[in-house]
Coordinates of all heavy atoms in Angstrom, one line a residue:
A95 N 83.5 52.9 51.7 CA 82.3 52.2 52.0 C 81.8 52.7 53.4 O 80.6 52.7 53.7 CB 82.3 50.8 51.9
E96 N 82.6 53.0 54.3 CA 82.3 53.4 55.6 C 81.8 54.8 55.7 O 81.1 55.2 56.6 CB 83.5 53.4 56.6 CG 83.9 51.9 56.9 CD 85.2 51.8 57.7 OE1 85.8 52.9 58.1 OE2 85.6 50.7 58.1
R97 N 82.0 55.6 54.6 CA 81.6 57.0 54.6 C 80.1 57.0 54.3 O 79.5 56.1 53.7 CB 82.2 57.7 53.4 CG 83.7 58.0 53.7 CD 84.1 59.3 53.2 NE 85.4 59.6 53.8 CZ 85.8 60.8 53.8 NH1 85.1 61.7 53.2 NH2 86.9 61.1 54.3
S98 N 79.4 58.0 54.7 CA 78.0 58.2 54.6 C 77.7 58.7 53.2 O 78.0 59.9 52.9 CB 77.4 59.0 55.7 OG 76.0 59.2 55.5
V99 N 76.9 58.0 52.4 CA 76.5 58.5 51.1 C 74.9 58.4 51.2 O 74.4 57.4 51.5 CB 77.0 57.6 49.9 CG1 76.4 58.1 48.7 CG2 78.5 57.7 49.9
N100 N 74.3 59.5 50.8 CA 72.8 59.5 50.8 C 72.3 58.8 49.5 O 72.1 59.6 48.5 CB 72.3 60.9 50.9 CG 70.9 60.9 51.2 OD1 70.1 60.0 50.9 ND2 70.4 62.1 51.6
W101 N 72.3 57.5 49.5 CA 71.9 56.8 48.3 C 70.4 57.0 47.9 O 70.1 57.1 46.7 CB 72.0 55.3 48.5 CG 73.5 54.9 48.6 CD1 74.2 54.5 49.7 CD2 74.4 54.9 47.6 NE1 75.4 54.3 49.4 CE2 75.7 54.5 48.2 CE3 74.4 55.2 46.2 CZ2 76.8 54.4 47.4 CZ3 75.6 55.1 45.5 CH2 76.8 54.7 46.0
L102 N 69.6 57.3 48.9 CA 68.1 57.6 48.5 C 68.1 58.9 47.8 O 67.4 58.9 46.7 CB 67.4 57.7 49.8 CG 65.8 58.0 49.6 CD1 65.1 56.9 48.8 CD2 65.2 58.2 51.0
E103 N 68.8 59.9 48.1 CA 68.8 61.2 47.4 C 69.3 61.0 46.0 O 68.8 61.5 45.0 CB 69.6 62.2 48.2 CG 69.6 63.6 47.5 CD 70.5 64.6 48.4 OE1 70.6 64.4 49.6 OE2 71.0 65.5 47.8
M104 N 70.4 60.2 45.9 CA 71.0 60.0 44.6 C 70.0 59.2 43.7 O 69.9 59.6 42.5 CB 72.3 59.3 44.7 CG 73.0 59.1 43.4 SD 74.6 58.2 43.6 CE 74.9 57.8 41.9
N105 N 69.5 58.2 44.2 CA 68.5 57.4 43.4 C 67.3 58.1 43.0 O 66.7 57.9 42.0 CB 68.2 56.0 44.1 CG 69.4 55.1 44.1 OD1 70.3 55.2 43.3 ND2 69.5 54.3 45.2
M106 N 66.8 59.0 43.9 CA 65.6 59.8 43.6 C 66.0 60.7 42.4 O 65.2 60.9 41.5 CB 65.2 60.6 44.8 CG 64.6 59.8 45.9 SD 62.9 59.3 45.5 CE 62.0 60.8 45.5
W107 N 67.1 61.3 42.4 CA 67.6 62.1 41.3 C 67.7 61.3 40.0 O 67.2 61.8 39.0 CB 68.9 62.8 41.7 CG 69.3 63.8 40.6 CD1 69.0 65.2 40.7 CD2 70.0 63.7 39.5 NE1 69.5 65.8 39.6 CE2 70.1 64.9 38.8 CE3 70.5 62.6 38.8 CZ2 70.7 65.1 37.6 CZ3 71.1 62.7 37.5 CH2 71.3 64.0 37.0
L108 N 68.3 60.2 40.1 CA 68.4 59.3 38.9 C 67.1 58.8 38.4 O 66.9 58.8 37.2 CB 69.3 58.1 39.3 CG 70.7 58.3 39.4 CD1 71.4 57.0 39.9 CD2 71.4 58.7 38.1
S109 N 66.1 58.6 39.3 CA 64.8 58.2 38.7 C 64.1 59.3 38.1 O 63.4 59.2 37.1 CB 64.0 57.5 39.9 OG 63.6 58.5 40.9
A110 N 64.2 60.5 38.7 CA 63.6 61.7 38.0 C 64.2 61.9 36.6 O 63.5 62.2 35.7 CB 63.7 62.9 38.9
F111 N 65.5 61.7 36.5 CA 66.2 61.9 35.2 C 65.8 60.8 34.3 O 65.5 61.1 33.1 CB 67.7 61.9 35.5 CG 68.4 62.2 34.2 CD1 68.6 63.5 33.8 CD2 69.0 61.2 33.5 CE1 69.4 63.8 32.7 CE2 69.7 61.4 32.4 CZ 69.9 62.7 31.9
A112 N 65.7 59.6 34.7 CA 65.4 58.4 33.9 C 63.9 58.4 33.4 O 63.6 58.0 32.3 CB 65.7 57.1 34.6
F113 N 63.0 58.9 34.2 CA 61.6 58.9 33.9 C 61.1 60.2 33.4 O 59.9 60.4 33.3 CB 60.8 58.5 35.2 CG 61.1 57.1 35.7 CD1 60.8 56.8 37.1 CD2 61.6 56.2 34.9 CE1 61.0 55.6 37.6 CE2 61.8 54.8 35.4 CZ 61.6 54.6 36.7
K114 N 62.0 61.0 32.9 CA 61.5 62.4 32.5 C 60.7 62.2 31.2 O 59.9 63.2 30.8 CB 62.7 63.4 32.3 CG 63.6 63.0 31.2 CD 64.8 64.0 31.2 CE 65.8 63.6 30.2 NZ 66.9 64.5 30.2
E115 N 60.8 61.1 30.4 CA 60.1 60.9 29.2 C 58.7 60.5 29.4 O 57.7 60.5 28.6 CB 60.8 59.9 28.2 CG 62.0 60.4 27.6 CD 63.3 59.7 28.3 OE1 63.1 58.6 29.0 OE2 64.3 60.3 28.3
G116 N 58.4 60.0 30.7 CA 57.1 59.6 31.0 C 56.1 60.8 31.3 O 56.5 62.0 31.2
K117 N 54.8 60.4 31.6 CA 53.9 61.5 31.8 C 53.8 61.9 33.3 O 52.9 62.7 33.7 CB 52.5 61.0 31.4 CG 52.4 60.7 29.9 CD 51.1 60.1 29.5 CE 51.1 59.8 28.0 NZ 49.9 59.0 27.6
G118 N 54.7 61.3 34.1 CA 54.7 61.7 35.5 C 53.8 60.9 36.4 O 53.5 61.2 37.6
R119 N 53.2 59.8 35.9 CA 52.4 58.9 36.6 C 53.3 57.9 37.3 O 53.7 56.9 36.7 CB 51.3 58.2 35.8 CG 50.3 59.2 35.2 CD 49.2 58.6 34.6 NE 49.6 57.5 33.7 CZ 48.6 56.5 33.5 NH1 47.4 56.5 33.9 NH2 49.0 55.5 32.7
N120 N 53.8 58.1 38.5 CA 54.7 57.3 39.3 C 54.1 56.7 40.5 O 53.0 57.3 41.0 CB 55.9 58.1 39.7 CG 56.7 58.6 38.5 OD1 56.6 58.1 37.4 ND2 57.4 59.7 38.7
A121 N 54.5 55.6 41.0 CA 54.0 55.0 42.2 C 55.2 54.4 43.0 O 56.2 54.0 42.5 CB 53.0 53.9 41.9
I122 N 55.1 54.6 44.3 CA 56.1 54.0 45.2 C 55.7 52.5 45.5 O 54.6 52.2 45.8 CB 56.2 54.8 46.6 CG1 56.6 56.2 46.3 CG2 57.2 54.1 47.5 CD1 58.0 56.5 45.8
V123 N 56.7 51.6 45.4 CA 56.4 50.2 45.6 C 57.4 49.6 46.7 O 58.5 50.2 46.9 CB 56.6 49.4 44.3 CG1 55.5 49.8 43.3 CG2 58.0 49.6 43.7
I124 N 57.0 48.6 47.3 CA 57.8 47.9 48.2 C 57.9 46.4 47.8 O 56.9 45.8 47.3 CB 57.4 48.0 49.7 CG1 56.0 47.4 50.0 CG2 57.5 49.4 50.2 CD1 55.6 47.3 51.4
D125 N 59.0 45.8 48.1 CA 59.2 44.4 47.7 C 60.1 43.7 48.8 O 61.3 43.9 48.8 CB 59.9 44.2 46.4 CG 60.1 42.8 46.0 OD1 59.3 42.0 46.4 OD2 61.0 42.6 45.2
P126 N 59.4 42.9 49.7 CA 60.2 42.2 50.7 C 60.9 40.9 50.0 O 60.2 40.3 49.2 CB 59.2 41.7 51.8 CG 57.9 41.8 51.0 CD 58.0 42.7 50.0
S127 N 62.1 40.8 50.2 CA 62.8 39.6 49.6 C 63.6 38.8 50.7 O 64.1 39.4 51.7 CB 63.9 40.1 48.6 OG 63.3 40.9 47.6
F128 N 63.6 37.6 50.5 CA 64.2 36.6 51.4 C 65.5 36.1 50.9 O 65.6 35.8 49.7 CB 63.2 35.4 51.6 CG 63.8 34.4 52.4 CD1 63.9 34.4 53.8 CD2 64.3 33.2 51.9 CE1 64.4 33.4 54.6 CE2 64.9 32.2 52.7 CZ 64.9 32.3 54.0
I129 N 66.5 36.0 51.7 CA 67.8 35.6 51.3 C 68.2 34.4 52.3 O 68.2 34.6 53.5 CB 68.9 36.7 51.5 CG1 68.5 37.9 50.7 CG2 70.3 36.1 51.1 CD1 69.4 39.1 51.0
K130 N 68.4 33.2 51.7 CA 68.6 32.0 52.5 C 70.1 32.1 53.1 O 71.0 32.4 52.4 CB 68.6 30.8 51.6 CG 68.7 29.5 52.3 CD 68.6 28.3 51.3 CE 68.8 27.0 52.0 NZ 68.7 25.9 51.1
K131 N 70.1 31.8 54.4 CA 71.4 31.8 55.1 C 71.5 30.6 56.0 O 70.5 30.3 56.7 CB 71.6 33.0 55.9 CG 71.8 34.3 55.2 CD 73.1 34.4 54.4 CE 74.3 34.7 55.3 NZ 75.5 34.9 54.5
A132 N 72.5 29.9 56.0 CA 72.7 28.6 56.8 C 73.3 29.0 58.2 O 73.0 28.3 59.1 CB 73.4 27.6 56.1
G133 N 74.2 30.0 58.2 CA 74.9 30.2 59.5 C 74.1 30.9 60.6 O 73.0 31.3 60.3
K134 N 74.7 30.9 61.8 CA 74.1 31.4 62.9 C 74.7 32.7 63.4 O 74.2 33.3 64.3 CB 74.0 30.4 64.1 CG 73.3 29.1 63.7 CD 73.2 28.2 64.9 CE 72.5 27.0 64.5 NZ 72.6 25.9 65.5

Side-chain angles (χ1 to χ4, degrees):
E96 289 174 0
R97 293 213 163 197
S98 177
V99 176
N100 190 345
W101 292 108
L102 180 62
E103 183 180 333
M104 181 177 167
N105 289 336
M106 288 288 288
W107 189 92
L108 286 172
S109 68
F111 185 81
F113 295 158
K114 68 182 177 185
E115 291 102 25
K117 296 177 183 170
R119 296 189 318 157
N120 298 333
I122 299 294
V123 296
I124 60 169
D125 179 28
S127 300
F128 175 77
I129 303 168
K130 184 179 176 182
K131 291 295 278 189
K134 296 179 182 174

